[in-house]
Amino acid sequence: MKLIKYITGIALMSILLHSCSGAPSESIPSDSYPDIIPDYIGVTIPEGIAKLTFEMADGTNCRYEMEREGDTLWYTVTSWRKGDKKATLHKSFPVYISSDPIDPYIAYRLIEPGYESWHNIVIAQRELATYKESRIVSNRANDMGCVNCHTFDSGNPKKMLFHARGKGGGTVFIDEDQVRIINLAQIGAQRQGTYPAWHPSGRYVVFSSNNTRQCFTINEYQPIEVYDTASDIILMDLQTDSVMLVPQLSLETRMETFPSWSEDGSTLYFCSAASVENVANNRGQVHYRLMSAKFEDGQFIGEPEELFGDDSCSVSFPRYNDGYVLFTHTAFGTFPIWHDEADLWMYDIETKEAFPAEILNSDKAESYHSWSSNGKWIIFGSRRLDGRYTRVYIAHYKGNGEFDKPFLLPQKNFKHNTLRLKSYNIPEFIKGEVKDYEKAVSKLFK
Amino acid sequence: MMKKRGKYIIAALLFVVVFCIGALFQSYTAIIQGQNSLFLFTGDYFRETFAASWPLSHLLESFFLQFYEIPMVGPLLTALIVTLIFLLYSFFSQRISSPFPIVEVFQIVDAVALACFSWIYASMAETPLILFKILLISFGLALVALFAKKKEAVKLKIWKIAVIALFVIGSALFISISKDIRSVETTAKVRYATYKGDWNTVLENVTPKSSIERPDLMPYAFLAMGYTGELGERLFTYPIQNIEDFDMEGIQSIEGNYFNSLLNYYMGNYNEALHHIFQYSCHFPHGITHFSLSQMIRYNNLLGKYSMVRKYAQILIHSPRYSTSASKLLKRFEGAQDSIPPAGHLSSVARTTTNNPQYDLLQLSLAGINSKIAQERFLCYLMLQGDLDNFVEAFRIFEWERIPRHYEEALLLAGVDPNEFGISAATQKLFYEISFAMAQADIPTVDRMAKGSYWEYHFRKQKEGAYDSGLDFDL
């Protein structure tokens, strides 16, 4: 035992020495913050999140010391180049700790940011307090078909659904140990489900049913445009397993998509655009509006109301919280992740005004987002790191439509973000750990 | 001593034979296998590898396979592994006693047989994975045998030497004359030459004669001729039967994506080249390969997306094979700023491509990409469709120093004034002679004179009633 301790001690010492080797003994103080990647300067994090790791953006060596003062962590970074006689001691930067709790897990899909095909797709989960990532289900379970659109019933890790495409495919519903697959296209409205939204009561799920296509631009900065040629909203009653087309949300002349419920389930928010002929060539004319529809006793009541939008923008992924709807704002179209101009905006239900959530946005795409179960945090996908591979950011909600500076989901080593050849897709908060359903789902496809 | 030496002589011979046969008949196959491999020292890579079956063999295979991309290293490593299988298994069979005496009789022969069958199987498979599976099993058996007491080595009898020779020569012959293996090698050679832009090799290997048996390789020849400027001169000397023989548009196979990626690269349509290389990657176990990573670096560089160049270079640094070159590349692109569109620019104004080659080529031209290959391919599509009115229109747009033969043939069919277009006297003469023969219903003469010309293709399509446009040329 002593010997093991001795060897471990020697190993740790050598690692420590190695990490500091070449560090000059003297340093010159600097008035500026260190240029670190990811930018964690002044971000707000939840208590207990995994340690933030970063490096100097210009690749120089660095080490840091961290000190906690109340609800603020102060990071003091020293950086130096190989061969420097003196290091630079940068101005200490703060990281604020919020007392608002956050859900312990997040779920996302890992997929290549590619085109029509894919290879490995995994719906994974990540414990926020650690770097532990584990599988919920992968497309090995359905013979390398697509798995997508995972959704939880109000963040409940025991109740979820996702689509598993391919031969024998359909929508997989998980309720604790009960795993079943239903091909929505074979019942009721005979439409395939795409974007789902689980009603807070847990009884209903609305899906948009989209006919999605792609076109490819010639040497344009944005390489792909993904668009719908048609889309409608369907409602599923999980008590009877029946599916019906919602007539007022399935107009022939319009495309309805991205359904999302209010907290109490009395309102469905969604997006709707006028149908356009030859969408690929006229994609600049496709402008989705933010809409709402009233829902009561399992039925939609009255005509939908247009809340926001005009012919200069397009709305995607409306998500309600605290009197506001957070949505993705683009110049046109329905697939923001390929749009560099895509930003997160807030719509104030009371004042009927929409405004950009500036602090969340970058010059690259911000896209899918969702609220934590207590409405105090948001998680969203952004391509700000390299323009192609979506990474997950988390931001604290201050209230009154305002956010604190977001932070990149911490990894054990920042380089993981560079080395991972997958995008993080549909990040969602979950209230606990989800079981590995790989085997159970595989059985559905045998 | 002699008995021991016999085993090593067999091993040396086996090594030499496997290497020579590999170098002669499978060297390009090995290069392509190397291109399609992936080995990275990254967490995700190991996680994905261990999530699949036979992870150790996959790991071993990927590690070795990455070096196959270097010419002649593939055959060398294959020879080494086959020899190792032989040595490890013979070590096992010499130490472990079998309850069946017949097994003892075939000692050494069984190891040669195992090595030869593994070699043949690996040569016929898409990747040499089986070799690594057998190698691991043999290694395991040899480990077990370490604990067994060594038996007395069996003397190599004449019949054994004859059987071993039969196995080795038989395997070598099988691989060298196998039609499938040769076909795969030709494809690999043509693919590699296209990647390298070695058009002479492409055209030497895809000839009008060879295309009768391998029409699937014709698109490579047409791409090469587009580059060398011979498309309008030689297209119809190939046995092209349909417009589908011209390219691989819309073909979502490994071959189709490989070809389309290179075609679009050579035409200057780098977004489409990237699109196809992504699609290509999806056919492989990790959804990416060394080749696709290096091509993505190439295309992103041309598009001015240096962030992506750096990302892929940083990934390749974790590959033992590409680490050094990736480090150099990273240094070269350090701090390079992405070429981004001006503020307010919207991609909705950009021209797009679909899976309609003719439309796509037109869009390419409208997008301002003045690719000679694209222009000539566009003319060829119009000819192949029998759309001669539009052919004439398009032909007028481009400038010609000398009109290629097939274009002259198409122009004459379209009924243009030969002098206005400067059509050569020889082609005019031939055209009138064929017209005369047709008027006389002298079909054998027409067939003979039109052979290898656009007219031959055109008359056949007319006869088949296959043109959509329903063109009617009353000669």
Side-chain angles (χ1 to χ4, degrees), chain B residues 378-418:
Chain B
F378 181 62
L379 289 175
C380 290
Y381 270 109
L382 293 171
M383 287 165 71
L384 289 163
Q385 281 190 325
D387 187 356
L388 293 179
D389 288 343
N390 279 323
F391 172 83
V392 175
E393 288 302 307
F395 183 84
R396 281 181 204 274
I397 299 169
F398 309 132
E399 291 193 358
W400 306 94
E401 274 180 29
R402 190 185 65 81
I403 308 175
R405 177 187 148 205
H406 294 317
Y407 300 161
E408 286 190 332
E409 291 160 1
L411 288 168
L412 285 170
L413 266 183
V416 301
D417 175 0

Side-chain angles (χ1 to χ4, degrees), chain B residues 159-428:
Chain B
W159 72 266
K160 272 195 179 182
I161 295 170
V163 173
I164 288 167
L166 197 70
F167 267 121
V168 176
I169 295 168
S171 306
L173 271 176
F174 180 84
I175 291 168
S176 52
I177 60 170
S178 162
K179 216 176 165 185
D180 288 343
I181 290 174
R182 285 206 160 188
S183 168
V184 170
E185 177 69 358
T186 307
T187 308
K189 194 172 184 180
V190 170
R191 279 171 69 165
Y192 188 66
T194 307
Y195 159 64
K196 288 280 181 192
D198 180 358
W199 306 121
N200 287 336
T201 303
V202 175
L203 292 171
E204 275 165 25
N205 283 277
V206 191
T207 61
K209 199 178 163 194
S210 74
S211 298
I212 296 167
E213 273 195 24
R214 293 290 310 272
D216 57 308
L217 291 179
M218 278 198 292
Y220 287 98
F222 301 148
L223 169 58
M225 291 194 294
Y227 210 85
T228 56
E230 295 170 279
L231 201 51
E233 205 67 51
R234 292 178 55 192
L235 172 63
F236 294 100
T237 60
Y238 282 76
I240 184 165
Q241 300 296 313
N242 295 298
I243 199 161
E244 289 77 23
D245 293 338
F246 188 61
D247 68 11
M248 301 192 195
E249 185 76 33
I251 297 177
Q252 296 295 343
S253 61
I254 293 180
E255 202 59 46
N257 291 137
Y258 187 95
F259 175 80
N260 285 321
S261 165
L262 291 174
L263 168 69
N264 281 287
Y265 161 66
Y266 286 119
M267 288 198 300
N269 188 5
Y270 307 125
N271 264 348
E272 261 308 86
L274 260 179
H275 170 192
H276 285 287
I277 206 69
F278 256 101
Q279 293 292 103
Y280 178 76
S281 304
C282 292
H283 296 287
F284 298 95
H286 290 275
I288 198 87
T289 67
H290 286 123
F291 176 71
S292 41
L293 274 170
S294 63
Q295 291 301 92
M296 287 198 276
I297 287 176
R298 191 185 206 182
Y299 304 150
N300 275 297
N301 177 29
L302 290 162
L303 286 163
K305 293 186 175 177
Y306 306 119
S307 310
M308 298 313 305
V309 172
R310 282 192 291 268
K311 180 183 175 85
Y312 296 131
Q314 278 172 333
I315 291 166
L316 276 179
I317 281 177
H318 294 261
S319 141
R321 159 82 180 93
Y322 294 95
S323 177
T324 316
S325 53
S327 297
K328 280 183 194 163
L329 195 75
L330 202 57
K331 265 192 185 152
R332 209 178 108 206
F333 285 94
E334 203 175 80
Q337 295 293 312
D338 284 0
S339 314
I340 50 169
H345 170 82
L346 287 181
S347 65
S348 56
V349 296
R351 301 266 169 195
T352 57
T353 56
T354 60
N355 275 341
N356 177 344
Q358 197 177 317
Y359 171 85
D360 293 351
L361 290 166
L362 190 62
Q363 293 300 309
L364 215 61
S365 181
L366 293 171
I369 295 172
N370 295 312
S371 155
K372 183 90 174 118
I373 305 176
Q375 288 169 2
E376 293 225 28
R377 289 180 79 85
F378 181 62
L379 289 175
C380 290
Y381 270 109
L382 293 171
M383 287 165 71
L384 289 163
Q385 281 190 325
D387 187 356
L388 293 179
D389 288 343
N390 279 323
F391 172 83
V392 175
E393 288 302 307
F395 183 84
R396 281 181 204 274
I397 299 169
F398 309 132
E399 291 193 358
W400 306 94
E401 274 180 29
R402 190 185 65 81
I403 308 175
R405 177 187 148 205
H406 294 317
Y407 300 161
E408 286 190 332
E409 291 160 1
L411 288 168
L412 285 170
L413 266 183
V416 301
D417 175 0
N419 297 327
E420 185 199 336
F421 282 81
I423 294 169
S424 68
T427 311
Q428 284 188 54

Side-chain angles (χ1 to χ4, degrees), chain B residues 30 33-34 36-40 45 49 53-69 77-78 81 122 125-136 284-286 290:
Chain B
Q33 285 173 341
N36 293 340
S37 69
L38 184 75
F39 184 90
L40 296 171
Y45 178 81
T49 305
S53 54
W54 287 89
L56 277 180
S57 346
H58 275 287
L59 211 57
L60 207 59
E61 183 209 33
S62 307
F63 181 80
F64 280 104
L65 218 49
Q66 64 182 319
F67 301 105
Y68 276 45
E69 204 253 337
L77 288 173
T78 302
I81 293 155
E126 272 182 33
T127 73
L129 178 66
I130 187 75
L131 281 183
F132 296 93
K133 283 184 179 176
I134 305 281
L135 180 67
L136 273 180
F284 298 95
H286 290 275
H290 286 123

Side-chain angles (χ1 to χ4, degrees), chain A residues 36-108:
Chain A
I36 56 167
I37 184 165
D39 179 9
Y40 283 143
I41 298 170
V43 299
T44 300
I45 59 171
E47 188 84 66
I49 191 141
K51 198 173 86 178
L52 306 182
T53 57
F54 55 85
E55 56 188 49
M56 295 299 288
D58 62 2
T60 50
N61 303 308
C62 75
R63 64 167 180 236
Y64 69 86
E65 284 166 18
M66 185 185 68
E67 205 178 316
R68 182 165 182 164
E69 262 179 33
D71 287 340
T72 307
L73 293 172
W74 289 98
Y75 285 79
T76 308
V77 177
T78 308
S79 71
W80 70 94
R81 283 183 187 281
K82 201 178 168 189
D84 280 357
K85 287 189 176 148
K86 287 181 181 174
T88 306
L89 178 67
H90 296 272
K91 184 178 165 185
S92 300
F93 68 84
V95 168
Y96 306 107
I97 300 171
S98 165
S99 55
D100 288 327
I102 194 166
D103 295 306
Y105 281 84
I106 56 168
Y108 42 77

